[in-house]
Amino acid sequence: MSTDFTHALVRTPPARVADGLRAVDHGAPDPAALMAEHAAYVAALRRAGLDVEILPPLDDLPDSLFLEDPALVFETGAILLRPGAPSRFAEAEALAPVLENRFAPTTRLPGPGHVDGGDVLRLGDRVMIGLSDRTDRAGAEALVAALDRLGLVGEIVRTPEDVLHFKSDCAPLGPERVLSTARLAASGVFRGLDVLTVPEGEEPAANALRLNGTILVAEGFPRTADLLAGTGCAVEILAVAEMAKLDAGLSCLSLRWRNS
Ligand code: CIR
């Protein structure tokens, strides 16, 4: 199932992390505090049972700690993406040797389109691709073809207006269950699925992260934490205030997969 994982890759935040992209300027993150948040995240992944490998920092690429955006990994192979922000293009190629060592096949999304991994939601064998400012139709169509070669079914959907990534507003909780903001659920994209709706005012908590029997939730969203505790999973609260200044949540900090 798409929330059962044995392994994860993360990347150490670079020295220039405060230069990362920000849609709205809420102030620069404090690099030391962000490092502490990152270390706590790695510890939480390990507590959830994942074998975590930490890749070295890429100091010329300030957003390179957000490993979810330049690649997708599945049991059947990996896909190096073409991120939608020019300053993030080089992140995919930097990951190539790392993924080629672990995943066969590792393929490259053909151009000219773009896809950010943050716009890609996997639910079992179904993979939703949200069009956004970072993911265009040409990229999404190329991804549907690449997914088909891995035995997965891609489906092109829409990210809500003014939302960075599709998964800024949702998270998989199981093959047929999602956590979603009300605005995304209202689009009908999750029709037929079991949808848990994030309480009004707690929208940033939608990017939770289920790892086996644990769900990680950002600090400061108590009603969402209570809602998720009702699923029977253990809920762990993580501080992400510094990451949030770079528009980041919990899923974007790692690539996760299951080795059978
Ligand atoms: C960016 O704007 O690309 C980064 N500052 C944040 C990326 C967060 N990624 C994600 O939510 N998947």
Side-chain angles (χ1 to χ4, degrees), residues 14-255:
R16 284 183 48 212
V17 68
D19 295 337
L21 295 171
R22 288 180 255 165
V24 180
D25 196 350
H26 298 293
D30 173 62
L34 188 142
M35 259 319 182
E37 289 181 358
H38 193 264
Y41 177 84
V42 170
L45 260 55
R46 289 184 170 143
R47 274 195 300 280
L50 280 72
D51 181 338
V52 183
E53 182 172 344
I54 305 177
L55 301 173
L58 297 174
D59 283 328
D60 292 337
L61 298 172
D63 281 303
S64 55
L65 68 161
F66 305 122
L67 216 53
E68 176 176 75
D69 293 319
L72 300 172
V73 297
F74 304 102
E75 304 79 43
T76 46
I79 304 171
L80 292 160
L81 298 173
R82 292 169 44 83
S87 66
R88 302 198 61 188
F89 279 0
E91 292 177 31
E93 214 38 54
L95 264 178
V98 178
L99 298 188
E100 280 161 356
N101 257 337
R102 291 165 179 78
F103 296 92
T106 292
T107 58
R108 285 169 173 71
L109 188 77
H114 297 279
V115 175
D116 270 16
D119 284 318
V120 180
L121 174 78
R122 180 181 184 189
L123 296 166
D125 290 340
R126 186 174 173 194
V127 181
M128 292 185 183
I129 308 157
L131 300 176
S132 72
D133 284 353
R134 300 286 180 88
T135 295
D136 57 22
R137 186 161 291 277
E141 285 174 356
L143 182 56
V144 171
L147 289 167
D148 182 60
R149 288 189 282 275
L150 298 181
L152 297 160
V153 182
E155 184 185 335
I156 301 175
V157 295
R158 284 199 176 277
T159 300
E161 283 295 305
D162 299 324
V163 171
L164 177 63
H165 286 128
F166 189 69
K167 275 190 303 194
S168 305
D169 264 35
C170 63
L173 295 178
E176 303 207 356
R177 179 179 250 196
V178 288
L179 176 68
S180 174
T181 60
R183 64 189 168 206
L184 178 56
S187 72
V189 69
F190 298 132
R191 200 170 290 119
L193 298 172
D194 178 13
V195 181
L196 268 61
T197 306
V198 173
E200 201 182 329
E202 294 202 355
E203 285 74 14
N207 183 249
L209 182 58
R210 178 161 179 191
L211 305 164
N212 306 320
T214 301
I215 305 177
L216 307 184
V217 186
E219 185 175 45
F221 305 104
R223 289 176 292 145
T224 307
D226 283 351
L227 177 73
L228 291 171
T231 64
C233 286
V235 170
E236 265 205 56
I237 311 292
L238 285 187
V240 291
E242 299 306 312
M243 304 280 186
K245 291 177 186 166
L246 296 172
D247 304 328
L250 291 163
S251 69
C252 61
L253 289 167
S254 58
L255 285 172

